[in-house]
């Protein structure tokens, strides 16, 4: 694979085989973000679990203290008596059967987060084949199926992210933008790591966190030491 000059220059600033302290790594990844847009910084955490087993699943959600830097469009499915509360909390789209019809008939997908009250899941369940593959299906573990839809909207707008294992047992999560700088990124990173550690399955054996890398959208990956998390 051929890399551009900016990538090659950034690569030179990362020492081979070194595990960086998270503060140093995030400061470096922010400084190495040289694209013409505000790059997203992501954490990629490889866990010592097997996602094929139900008792070793790792999934949840956490509100990042400094948000993600991304404007989130929220779609809420609820009964009419909760419409105003959801809209007041900042939801862009609120409805029921009308939204289901719009998604199924018009292939409408102009939203980033879907929240539903429990009494609407029978309706929303019909959208599983559409929302599921995009990671948008509401889920109680992620806090997106809840009676308090207004609170869920507020959290989504404040920078709530969902973390979950992929098929290779890695969690991929945005933790902010390069413009945040190292300190704010470190606060977000620590919040995510604390949540992942807390979500350790009882069935997990051996080392829980195998490795962690932080990287910007167009930048190099920087390995992070996770020894301070003790798992």
């Amino acid at each position: 694979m051929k890399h551009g000059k900016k990538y090659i220059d950034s690569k030179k600033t990362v020492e081979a085989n070194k595990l960086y302290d998270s503060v140093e790594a995030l400061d470096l990844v922010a400084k190495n973000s040289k694209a013409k847009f505000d790059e997203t910084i992501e954490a990629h955490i490889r866990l010592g679990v097997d996602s094929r087993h139900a008792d070793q699943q790792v999934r949840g959600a956490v509100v990042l203290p400094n948000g993600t830097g991304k404007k989130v469009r929220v779609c809420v499915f609820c009964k009419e008596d909760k419409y105003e509360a959801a809209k007041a909390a900042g939801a862009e789209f609120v409805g029921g059967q009308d939204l289901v019809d719009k998604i199924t008939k018009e292939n409408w997908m102009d939203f980033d987060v879907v929240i539903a009250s429990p009494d609407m899941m029978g309706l929303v369940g019909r959208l599983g084949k559409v929302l599921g593959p995009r990671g948008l299906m509401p889920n109680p573990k992620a806090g997106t199926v809840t009676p308090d839809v207004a609170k869920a909207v507020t959290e989504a707008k404040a920078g709530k992210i969902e973390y979950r294992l992929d098929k290779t047992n890695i969690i991929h999560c945005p933790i902010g933008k390069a413009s945040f700088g190292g300190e704010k990124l470190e606060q977000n990173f620590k919040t995510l790591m604390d949540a992942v550690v807390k979500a350790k399955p009882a069935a997990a054996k051996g080392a829980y966190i195998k490795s962690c890398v932080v990287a910007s959208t167009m930048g190099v990956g920087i390995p992070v030491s996770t020894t301070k998390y003790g798992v």
Side-chain angles (χ1 to χ4, degrees):
M1 181 182 290
K2 291 185 178 180
H3 291 294
K5 184 178 182 297
K6 291 179 181 178
Y7 183 94
I8 294 171
D9 288 344
S10 295
K11 186 75 173 175
K12 293 176 182 177
T13 68
V14 182
E15 293 182 35
N17 303 317
K18 177 180 177 178
L19 287 177
Y20 286 78
D21 176 78
S22 58
V23 176
E24 187 180 6
L26 289 161
D27 186 56
L28 186 57
V29 80
K31 289 177 180 177
N32 278 343
S33 301
K34 300 173 182 176
K36 293 181 180 179
F37 59 93
D38 194 4
E39 295 182 54
T40 295
I41 309 301
E42 290 190 344
H44 307 276
I45 310 161
R46 185 166 68 93
L47 301 183
V49 297
D50 189 342
S51 61
R52 294 174 298 178
H53 299 290
D55 62 353
Q56 294 187 47
Q57 287 292 328
V58 178
R59 181 175 185 175
V62 63
V63 178
L64 299 179
N66 299 300
T68 63
K70 177 183 177 182
K71 182 180 179 182
V72 178
R73 300 167 298 174
V74 180
C75 179
V76 176
F77 291 88
C78 60
K79 299 292 186 181
E80 288 190 27
D81 61 335
K82 295 183 179 179
Y83 280 11
E84 290 306 314
K87 290 177 181 177
E92 281 79 5
F93 313 104
V94 181
Q97 184 63 54
D98 56 327
L99 293 179
V100 173
D101 292 340
K102 190 174 178 66
I103 292 170
T104 54
K105 296 176 182 178
E106 301 176 25
N107 198 31
W108 173 72
M109 295 293 293
D110 295 337
F111 46 83
D112 307 295
V113 176
V114 179
I115 292 166
S117 56
D119 54 8
M120 295 295 284
M121 284 308 293
L123 188 65
V124 179
R126 303 173 195 172
L127 301 172
K129 290 184 178 180
V130 179
L131 300 179
R134 293 175 171 83
L136 293 172
M137 194 66 184
N139 185 287
K141 289 185 178 180
T144 46
V145 176
T146 172
D148 194 347
V149 293
K151 180 182 177 183
V153 172
T154 300
E155 290 179 341
K157 290 287 186 178
K160 186 175 186 177
I161 59 167
E162 182 180 355
Y163 58 86
R164 60 189 296 183
L165 289 173
D166 67 8
K167 292 180 180 178
T168 60
N169 304 314
I170 299 176
I171 288 172
H172 309 274
C173 273
I175 55 171
K177 296 288 187 177
S179 60
F180 283 18
E183 184 176 348
K184 286 186 176 180
L185 289 171
E186 160 65 13
Q187 291 170 357
N188 281 358
F189 176 78
K190 183 179 185 304
T191 299
L192 171 62
M193 290 298 293
D194 287 344
V196 172
V197 169
K198 189 176 180 180
K200 180 181 179 180
K205 305 298 180 184
Y208 177 51
I209 299 179
K210 292 281 191 178
S211 64
C212 179
V213 172
V214 292
S216 61
T217 307
M218 306 290 287
V220 299
I222 301 176
V224 180
S225 171
T226 59
T227 54
K228 63 183 177 184
Y229 293 98
V231 289

